[in-house]
């Protein structure tokens, strides 16, 4: 008998059937990966499991007994814990207080000493390197994840759901988390692992379930799946090349930066993609922000030979530099504004005369840009926050390339988007460089750098420490320079 069984789950929203008769089960001591494109139904299925949504039909059983629908607290008490991509700790509470939140120790008065002692024991057992007395707001993202896992262990959880747990983690912390997940499997927990990163899925999974368009496609032992078969199951077609072939013919130098941040020299030519590699904390994002004028920096920046004094992003935009953030939800899109307003918000002056905006010209430009970058939506009036991750990324491309640009800085361009949407972004990048745009791509994914960059510049401790041509680049060579 399975530890957890979801049977025949169907969930409909107005105009959309998000889940259509989906069944899914997890064994004790198993890591079961759940994959699919954005919009496939993964999050909806887990929200049904966690009690946030009540399904139209179907059943959920834990150890053969029915779980209640629509009662998150009751489901947690029964032993199902979901750790979401956006962590849910209370920032001003300590690690111990977060671990025991909702099941505090003591009677009339809280037994804080006992909670600190037991919380510290759980954290030490996980090798978290965290003091139970530290407030959550002072913890790094990996440490916060360890606190959430400690909370699940302290609550004697039987099923642990990890939703994109490594999306913001550097390489060493990813390996540490994966090893922790393996240890939890060894304790007999059933683990649901949701990730767009194939290397992780192949490294730790016992079985894998694929959802597509709200339907169950297949559940397969991991040993019987290869990368190509998994992609076909997810997208319903062959992706002949995860990374489309590039025939780069770089032209004149567009960007020439020297002494940036005190130790970064960079050049990017027209029609070229230069990758910026390095561990988290190496200064990659800071380099992109300095080029865009978002942070102060020493050094010199030249675009097409002319010196640029980027004291603020508007200076950079006027010079032909565009930057697309790694955190599109917090610092990219305006989720409550519609698609059209999101596209034109950086260029409103182009559609104004004497301070008066021309709605007709603005909408026409937004419509053309949305079509040019294949932003798929119900129309320009759809809220940007309701788009898939891939379409949000294309929306940002449409916004910043609505006016002519010379250099495009892409920071983690495919973070949190599925394999099909990644292929679309890569094809767009190739199209843009074939039109002569220079691209600086910052990425934590070595396969992405190897697949798309014409040259890779490696950073360490705020300095550019080496450069590798595409033909000579390997993961080992990049990591050797980065470490």
């Amino acid at each position: 008998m399975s530890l957890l069984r979801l049977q025949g789950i169907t969930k409909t929203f107005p105009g959309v059937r998000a889940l259509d008769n989906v069944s899914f089960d997890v064994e004790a001591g198993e890591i079961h990966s759940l994959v699919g494109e954005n919009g496939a139904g993964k999050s909806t299925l887990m929200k049904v499991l966690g009690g946030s949504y009540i399904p139209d039909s179907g059943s959920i059983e834990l150890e053969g007994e029915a779980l209640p629908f629509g009662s998150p607290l009751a489901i947690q008490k029964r032993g199902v814990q979901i750790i979401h991509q956006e962590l849910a700790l209370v920032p001003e509470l300590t690690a111990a207080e977060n671990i025991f939140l909702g099941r505090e120790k003591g009677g009339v008065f809280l037994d804080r000493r006992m909670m600190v002692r037991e919380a510290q024991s759980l954290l030490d057992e996980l090798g978290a390197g965290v003091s139970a007395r530290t407030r959550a707001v002072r913890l790094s993202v990996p440490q916060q994840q360890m606190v959430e896992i400690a909370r699940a262990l302290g609550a004697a959880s039987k099923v642990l759901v990890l939703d994109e747990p490594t999306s913001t983690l550097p390489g060493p912390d990813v390996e540490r988390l994966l090893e922790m997940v393996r240890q939890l499997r060894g304790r007999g927990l059933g683990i649901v692992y949701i990730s767009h990163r194939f290397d992780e899925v192949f490294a730790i999974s016992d079985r894998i379930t694929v959802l597509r368009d709200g339907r169950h496609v297949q559940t397969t032992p991991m040993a019987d799946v290869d990368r190509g078969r998994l992609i076909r199951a997810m997208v319903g077609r062959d992706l002949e090349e995860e990374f489309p072939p590039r025939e780069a013919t770089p032209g004149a130098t567009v960007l020439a930066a020297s002494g940036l941040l005190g130790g970064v020299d960079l050049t990017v030519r027209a029609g070229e993609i230069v990758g910026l590699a390095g561990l988290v904390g190496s200064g990659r994002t800071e380099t992109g922000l300095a080029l865009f004028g978002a942070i102060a920096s020493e050094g010199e920046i030249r675009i097409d030979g002319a010196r640029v004094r980027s004291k603020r992003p508007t200076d950079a935009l006027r010079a032909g530099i565009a930057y697309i953030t790694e955190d599109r939800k917090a610092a990219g899109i305006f989720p409550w504004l519609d698609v059209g307003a999101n596209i034109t918000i950086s260029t409103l002056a182009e559609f104004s005369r004497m301070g008066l905006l021309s709605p007709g010209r603005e909408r026409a430009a937004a419509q053309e840009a949305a079509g040019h970058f294949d932003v798929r939506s119900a129309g320009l009036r759809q809220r940007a926050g309701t788009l898939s991750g891939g379409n949000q990324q294309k929306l940002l491309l449409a916004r910043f390339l609505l006016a002519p640009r010379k250099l495009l800085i892409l920071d983690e361009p495919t973070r949190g988007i599925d394999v099909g949407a990644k292929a679309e972004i890569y094809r767009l990048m190739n199209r843009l460089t074939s039109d002569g745009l220079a691209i600086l791509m910052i990425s934590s994914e070595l396969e992405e750098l190897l697949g798309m960059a014409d040259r890779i510049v490696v950073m360490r401790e705020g300095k550019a420490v080496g450069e590798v041509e595409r033909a000579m680049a390997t993961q080992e060579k990049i990591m050797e320079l980065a470490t």
Side-chain angles (χ1 to χ4, degrees):
M1 180 177 67
S2 298
L3 172 65
L4 174 72
R5 182 179 295 277
L6 291 81
Q7 191 71 32
I9 302 295
T10 296
K11 177 63 180 176
T12 304
F13 298 102
V16 178
R17 176 159 286 193
L19 295 171
D20 187 359
N21 194 33
V22 174
S23 297
F24 178 79
D25 71 287
V26 184
E27 305 285 347
E30 175 190 39
I31 300 173
H32 193 143
S33 284
L34 182 63
V35 301
E37 294 187 275
N38 288 337
K42 306 185 300 294
S43 294
T44 303
L45 186 65
M46 291 303 102
K47 286 177 179 176
V48 169
L49 171 61
S52 299
Y53 290 161
I54 298 175
D56 304 332
S57 60
S59 63
I60 304 177
E61 293 182 352
L62 181 67
E63 295 181 320
E65 297 184 8
L67 282 179
F69 289 137
S71 180
L73 185 58
I75 289 169
Q76 288 177 24
K77 287 182 176 178
R78 288 284 301 276
V80 177
Q81 183 76 34
I82 299 179
I83 298 179
H84 297 281
Q85 187 173 356
E86 285 88 18
L87 300 175
L89 300 182
V90 180
E92 294 307 317
L93 295 185
T94 65
E97 290 166 340
N98 271 286
I99 287 171
F100 285 101
L101 189 62
R103 50 185 192 88
E104 290 80 0
K105 300 282 187 177
V108 177
F109 299 101
L110 293 180
D111 192 337
R112 294 184 183 277
R113 287 186 178 181
M114 180 184 291
M115 288 194 293
V116 168
R117 187 169 60 250
E118 292 188 14
Q120 194 63 63
S121 177
L122 287 167
L123 292 166
D124 291 345
E125 190 178 349
L126 292 172
V130 173
S131 167
R133 298 181 187 274
T134 304
R135 293 187 185 279
V137 71
R138 300 178 67 86
L139 299 176
S140 66
V141 171
Q143 290 172 326
Q144 289 183 43
Q145 284 185 325
M146 289 299 178
V147 172
E148 292 234 33
I149 293 172
R151 180 163 64 186
L153 292 180
S157 296
K158 299 168 183 175
V159 175
L160 182 63
V161 179
L162 295 165
D163 188 0
E164 296 286 353
T166 64
S167 62
T168 59
L169 298 186
D173 285 322
V174 169
E175 290 303 320
R176 189 157 163 251
L177 179 71
L178 296 182
E179 183 54 37
M180 178 53 57
V181 172
R182 294 185 185 100
Q183 291 179 24
L184 296 175
R185 171 178 60 187
R187 297 183 184 192
L189 270 72
I191 297 170
V192 181
Y193 194 87
I194 303 173
S195 179
H196 289 306
R197 295 184 171 182
F198 284 178
D199 53 344
E200 297 172 14
V201 169
F202 279 92
I204 67 170
S205 304
D206 298 303
R207 284 191 296 162
I208 187 165
T209 288
V210 179
L211 298 184
R212 186 173 71 238
D213 299 329
R215 296 181 177 88
H216 175 273
V217 175
Q218 65 181 42
T219 296
T220 316
M222 201 68 239
D224 297 340
V225 179
D226 60 30
R227 197 179 185 96
R229 181 178 171 187
L230 182 57
I231 291 172
R232 284 194 296 275
M234 287 174 60
V235 303
R237 62 190 186 280
D238 285 323
L239 288 180
E240 298 296 338
E241 295 281 351
E242 278 188 72
F243 301 101
R246 276 188 57 74
E247 296 180 3
T249 53
T253 298
V254 172
L255 169 71
S258 59
L260 207 65
L261 300 175
V264 181
D265 296 340
L266 272 177
T267 61
V268 187
R269 295 170 290 178
E272 182 181 40
I273 298 176
V274 173
L276 203 55
L279 302 178
V280 170
S282 63
R284 298 168 307 166
T285 290
E286 288 79 5
T287 298
L289 292 173
L291 288 168
F292 194 55
I295 60 173
S297 169
E298 53 189 291
E300 182 180 83
I301 302 169
R302 291 184 178 272
I303 295 291
D304 286 347
R307 187 166 183 179
V308 177
R309 290 176 171 82
S310 292
K311 294 184 177 180
R312 57 183 67 86
T314 50
D315 297 334
L317 286 168
R318 278 194 292 268
I321 303 172
Y323 171 82
I324 295 182
T325 175
E326 63 179 330
D327 191 352
R328 60 180 172 270
K329 290 184 178 179
I333 66 165
F334 295 89
W336 294 100
L337 294 182
D338 64 31
V339 169
N342 264 275
I343 290 174
T344 59
I345 199 164
S346 295
T347 49
L348 289 176
E350 301 292 323
F351 314 110
S352 303
R353 282 187 180 176
M354 301 177 65
L356 295 176
L357 182 67
S358 170
R361 290 174 58 213
E362 180 197 6
R363 285 280 158 178
Q367 190 72 59
E368 183 179 355
H372 188 63
F373 288 95
D374 194 25
V375 181
R376 297 173 193 169
S377 68
L380 292 182
R381 297 195 180 280
Q382 181 178 344
R383 278 198 301 110
T386 63
L387 297 178
S388 69
N391 280 301
Q392 288 179 5
Q393 195 74 342
K394 289 187 285 185
L395 182 152
L396 291 177
L397 286 169
R399 176 198 298 171
F400 286 108
L401 298 178
L402 189 59
R405 309 293 181 203
K406 299 173 181 177
L407 172 69
L408 174 63
I409 304 167
L410 293 172
D411 197 348
E412 303 290 359
T414 62
R415 171 172 286 169
I417 64 178
D418 59 69
V419 64
K422 282 184 178 183
E424 292 181 32
I425 297 296
Y426 298 145
R427 284 194 291 271
L428 277 173
M429 291 169 64
N430 278 351
R431 191 182 82 193
L432 292 169
T433 53
S434 70
D435 292 338
L437 190 68
I439 294 180
L440 178 65
M441 178 179 70
I442 303 166
S443 180
S444 299
E445 296 193 27
L446 293 181
E447 288 186 355
E448 182 169 79
L449 290 165
L450 295 170
M452 290 300 298
D454 303 310
R455 287 185 291 127
I456 300 171
V457 175
V458 184
M459 293 192 63
R460 185 175 70 243
E461 297 177 356
K463 293 180 172 58
V465 295
E467 181 179 306
V468 187
E469 293 287 338
R470 179 187 183 99
M472 304 297 293
T474 64
Q475 292 194 21
E476 292 76 16
K477 189 170 292 186
I478 293 170
M479 286 306 297
E480 182 181 351
L481 287 167
T483 57

